[in-house]
Amino acid sequence: MRTIVFALLAVAVACSPGLKIIGGYDCPPNSQPWQVYLTFNGEPWCGGSLINERWVVSAAHCKIPASNLTVHLGEHNVNVEEGTEQRIGAEKVIPHPDYNDQPFNNDFMLIKLKEPAIFNECVNFNVFHIIFFTDGNPSVLQCLKLPVLSKQQCVRAYGSRITENMFCAGFMKGGKDSCQGDSGGPIVCNGELRGVVSWGKGCAEQGYPGVYVEVCLPSISIGTVMTKFLC
Ligand SMILES: *[C@@H]1O[C@H](CO)[C@@H](O)[C@H](O)[C@H]1NC(C)=O
């Protein structure tokens, strides 16, 4: 799931469960070493980003009890044991204290790993390019390059549901987007984790780009840096 909005609005027809990033391409193996795949009692659940050896960022709407959550690092093809995987249980999950699932505001969560990740060429927290995550089907991690849209375009699509800590990215004409299963995964730009996959109406629908949680430093105003993020 990208968000419950899909179910509530019943607009998920363009994106049946299990379908993830739309219009993306296979990431080069282990080119996204910060990428995390979350499972819930062993079932595909959400995405996330490694931000240091002990912590992962994901979306608050992906919250489940820590004991039922496993963090998978170093995945490329989730159906193949490639020898690069690290699987670490969650010690605790900390959703943003002001997360509110009505407008999906502050859809942001930290996950503490039970033990530290071991960094290597497949598992790391360094980031570059603009990329996000898929899990499950297709089984190979998908990448997609997409522009950050203006606040105005975002508000035109979703109205007052867009809060100041959200931004839109994607294509107003549709066709390429994140989707259910990508939730919590990273959107990375110019070497920095820029956002977390949060919600949207349907997937890749014309006029409805994906909505992301802004995770930039508060001192960075999305308004002033917008053009720099047209990666
Ligand atoms: C979490 O896992 C425990 C033990 O496997 C299980 O009893 C419980 O129902 C699970 N919780 C959820 C929310 O699935």
Side-chain angles (χ1 to χ4, degrees), residues 131-153:
I131 296 295
F132 50 82
F133 169 76
T134 186
D135 60 29
N137 185 12
S139 56
V140 172
L141 183 64
Q142 298 292 290
C143 287
L144 177 65
K145 298 190 186 203
L146 76 183
V148 172
L149 302 175
S150 69
K151 197 77 172 186
Q152 201 178 18
Q153 286 173 298

Side-chain angles (χ1 to χ4, degrees), residues 1-25:
M1 70 173 198
R2 184 160 71 175
T3 142
I4 323 159
V5 154
F6 292 113
L8 296 178
L9 300 180
V11 289
V13 283
C15 185
S16 56
L19 226 170
K20 305 297 157 45
I21 281 181
I22 295 170
Y25 56 94

Side-chain angles (χ1 to χ4, degrees), residues 103-117:
F104 301 94
N105 202 11
N106 302 305
D107 188 11
F108 188 76
M109 175 170 76
L110 290 168
I111 300 167
K112 187 175 189 189
L113 304 181
K114 270 187 181 159
E115 49 195 78

Side-chain angles (χ1 to χ4, degrees), residues 40-41 64-65 67-68:
F40 180 1
N41 296 337
I64 53 171
S67 57
N68 299 76

